[in-house]
Amino acid sequence: MRRAFIPLSLGLALLAFGAAALPLPRDALWLVVRSCIVAQDTFGNPFPCLKVDAGQGAGPGYAIVRAPDRSTHIILTPLVHIPGIESPELLRDGGGAYWRAAFEARRYVVESAGGRIRERDVGLALNSMDTRSQDQLHIHAECFRPNVLATLRASAPPPNAGWGRLRATLEGEPYLLRTITRAELEATNLFALLAAMPGAGGDPSRSKALLIEVGDLLVLAATRSSRRSIESLLDHGCARTLKQG
């Protein structure tokens, strides 16, 4: 039993370090995931995670973590060690489940903002192999900067049009985007779509991606430019979103 408390203690300590804005080791998130699994199995409570879902049938398990920097910053990550977008197992059938679960996890962002924002203002973001800070796959759910949402929504291509180029740039980086339906989100592996985007050549490792809601449709946008983390497009804390609303 004593050994079971080791990863839990490590996870809590790492979360504390994160809150203090100290540099984290690249396996910090994976240690937190292990801590949550131990806590769920030992106490029936996944703390420090919000949720641990073991998965059903062929569906993979995942954890939902509130990032230590801001209450509206939610992270979804697998229960198994998957380094990131370059991992080949994500291209298999179960990979799309992580995007679907992260899309549902947007509700935690809305709850953290006291219900003062809409789910449609919350998007998903995934960093490339070169721009991530943690070597454990994680999808961010957070408010997006209002100007980013406006740019993407104004440029959303029609369904079934495939990939098209965003007329503007986001933080000076060119993006490709395509519209997908909610039914496609349920049936499609978005990691496979990223691997098949123009220029990827079946290798999504250099791609950064985001997913936003546009009415009854969704827009998946991605770039293979690696100037900065995709988190620069997020509105951490939803401050700008709340001000605009």
Side-chain angles (χ1 to χ4, degrees), residues 100-123:
R100 291 188 284 274
F103 194 71
E104 293 297 322
R106 295 180 306 156
R107 67 181 180 86
Y108 290 100
V109 181
V110 176
E111 291 171 3
S112 297
R116 293 176 295 161
I117 60 173
R118 303 164 296 181
E119 273 196 5
R120 66 190 304 267
D121 294 324
V122 179

Side-chain angles (χ1 to χ4, degrees), residues 47-214:
F47 183 81
C49 291
L50 297 173
K51 180 179 180 180
V52 167
D53 190 314
Q56 296 181 355
Y62 61 86
I64 296 175
V65 186
R66 192 189 309 279
D69 53 354
R70 291 174 179 83
S71 63
T72 60
H73 187 184
I74 301 298
I75 293 170
L76 183 134
T77 184
L79 294 186
V80 296
H81 183 45
I82 298 178
I85 190 173
E86 75 279 8
S87 302
E89 57 265 44
L90 294 174
L91 298 179
R92 300 170 191 153
D93 291 342
Y98 295 122
W99 285 97
R100 291 188 284 274
F103 194 71
E104 293 297 322
R106 295 180 306 156
R107 67 181 180 86
Y108 290 100
V109 181
V110 176
E111 291 171 3
S112 297
R116 293 176 295 161
I117 60 173
R118 303 164 296 181
E119 273 196 5
R120 66 190 304 267
D121 294 324
V122 179
L124 306 181
L126 174 68
N127 272 305
S128 67
M129 182 174 65
D130 297 327
T131 56
R132 66 176 183 245
S133 62
Q134 291 293 304
D135 292 327
Q136 169 66 8
L137 177 72
H138 55 289
I139 301 175
H140 303 268
E142 174 64 294
C143 291
F144 271 62
R145 286 167 32 193
N147 65 309
V148 171
L149 284 178
T151 298
L152 292 171
R153 286 171 173 159
S155 304
N160 304 317
W163 290 97
R165 185 171 298 279
L166 181 66
R167 292 189 295 272
T169 61
L170 298 177
E171 299 247 324
E173 296 181 308
Y175 274 77
L176 297 177
L177 66 167
R178 62 177 295 162
T179 299
I180 62 175
T181 66
R182 292 176 185 268
E184 287 176 311
L185 177 65
E186 292 298 320
T188 305
N189 184 348
L190 297 194
F191 289 109
L193 285 183
L194 293 171
M197 67 181 283
D203 175 18
S205 64
R206 306 292 177 185
S207 299
K208 299 182 294 188
L210 53 90
L211 184 71
I212 66 163
E213 183 177 345
V214 182

